[in-house]
Amino acid sequence: MSVKGKTAVITGSNSGIGLGIAWELARAGVEVILNSFTDSEEDHALAKKVADETGTKARYIQADMSDGDQCRALIEKAGACDILINNAGIQHVAPIDEFPAEKWNAIIAINLNSAYHTTAAALPLMRKAGWGRVINISSAHGLTASPFKSAYVAAKHGIVGMTKVVALETAKEPITANAICPGYVLTPLVESQIPDTMEKYGMERDEVIEKVMLERQPSKEFATTEQLGGTALFLCSDAAAQITGTTISVDGGWTAL
Ligand code: NAD
């Protein structure tokens, strides 16, 4: 079955990996719904650009993924959700004994709780449509840990666990649930970690990229948003119909170490 004509909701998709996935799905003829917490002209223009350049439909729906009701409202406003990409995420880097509680709560809310709310709202629509794909963007940090990222690592491990449960609960239906675990991808989220990491380790920018970030990525290359879009598209294909409840690493060998 082709994905052409299916509808995908991609949380946190006005930049980075979410936007990369949106582009790849749109190129395959999937109607895409872009999202973030902002509601600017640029956000709506981005959806128009995706539609114009791919010939599919694209919309932008504002919803703050730190708020459970807004997560559910996003799915309701979308009207259909054959493919749900839980991608919205933030990061904060600090030792656990100095980790601000509001940052901890925001990371757990956006990176983990939002996926619970959107999945709960989307599954009835997938069941009605008789087909569905839940794709959670976890991380290499969903399978392993790094210092100073307690909330992020907890949320990313949590979403891997939730993925397995959703897969078991939908196992007899034409619905799959999987998590993609990227290594480092040079997106605004990663850019924003560089100054803090420079301070923590007393390093220059190039040293942080080489010795901290890509140090654990044996390929010594960042993964790209296009590669993540291609992985998501594969999970939507018939070839992936029996792949459920698992993780796919796109990390240049990081988790093989
Ligand atoms: P990014 O900062 O470019 O994108 C994050 C997206 O989430 C943006 O569109 C942002 O607007 C959105 N967002 C943030 N807070 C939100 C909120 N409250 N409500 C709605 N949207 C919100 O970062 P990215 O690197 O593209 O990250 C995307 C996902 O990939 C995240 O879940 C991240 O943890 C994961 N990830 C990234 C990397 C990497 O190296 N970049 C590696 C592994 C996993």
Side-chain angles (χ1 to χ4, degrees):
M1 189 201 296
S2 159
V3 290
K4 203 168 171 9
K6 303 277 188 208
T7 300
V9 177
I10 306 140
T11 71
S13 47
N14 66 351
S15 98
I17 292 170
L19 183 57
I21 292 175
W23 273 109
E24 292 308 309
L25 294 180
R27 285 189 190 107
V30 175
E31 175 177 347
V32 293
I33 287 148
L34 304 183
N35 153 264
S36 185
F37 58 94
T38 51
D39 198 15
S40 68
E41 266 178 38
E42 290 81 34
D43 292 325
H44 293 274
L46 195 53
K48 187 172 181 312
K49 184 175 164 111
V50 172
D52 289 348
E53 290 189 18
T54 63
T56 188
K57 288 186 191 154
R59 280 184 284 157
Y60 178 85
I61 302 178
Q62 185 273 341
D64 186 341
M65 292 298 103
S66 67
D67 178 317
D69 289 343
Q70 291 192 41
C71 295
R72 290 170 190 260
L74 167 65
I75 304 300
E76 202 177 303
K77 285 179 190 163
C81 183
D82 306 303
I83 301 164
L84 172 63
I85 315 270
N86 286 308
N87 168 78
I90 58 166
Q91 173 64 287
H92 185 78
V93 179
I96 194 160
D97 50 332
E98 293 170 20
F99 211 94
E102 69 276 12
K103 291 281 184 198
W104 174 280
N105 291 335
I107 290 173
I108 300 297
I110 296 167
N111 298 21
L112 178 60
N113 296 350
S114 69
Y116 146 63
H117 291 291
T118 54
T119 304
L123 278 180
L125 299 181
M126 292 179 185
R127 287 184 170 128
K128 204 168 147 202
W131 188 91
R133 295 287 187 264
V134 179
I135 301 174
N136 295 323
I137 307 305
S138 178
S139 168
H141 283 118
L143 303 168
T144 181
S146 295
F148 313 127
K149 295 185 176 175
S150 51
Y152 188 84
V153 170
K156 293 300 186 182
H157 275 69
I159 205 164
V160 168
M162 198 192 81
T163 303
K164 293 178 186 176
V165 173
V166 174
L168 293 179
E169 291 183 9
T170 57
K172 293 222 165 93
E173 303 171 79
I175 295 172
T176 68
N178 292 289
I180 298 177
C181 295
Y184 275 105
V185 188
L186 196 55
T187 62
L189 181 137
V190 167
E191 275 292 346
S192 72
Q193 290 173 53
I194 295 177
D196 276 355
T197 316
M198 282 166 68
E199 203 182 307
K200 288 262 150 16
Y201 291 100
M203 287 179 177
E204 295 300 314
R205 180 189 160 86
D206 287 355
E207 273 186 292
V208 164
I209 291 178
E210 205 182 302
K211 297 188 177 153
V212 181
M213 295 180 163
L214 297 183
E215 199 266 328
R216 295 178 67 185
Q217 203 144 304
S219 66
K220 300 295 170 202
E221 282 181 33
F222 285 107
T224 68
T225 59
E226 290 79 7
Q227 289 162 353
L228 291 161
T231 307
L233 195 53
F234 165 68
L235 285 172
C236 295
S237 71
D238 285 343
Q242 284 298 315
I243 299 176
T244 195
T246 194
T247 58
I248 297 190
S249 292
V250 184
D251 67 1
W254 175 341
T255 47
L257 281 173

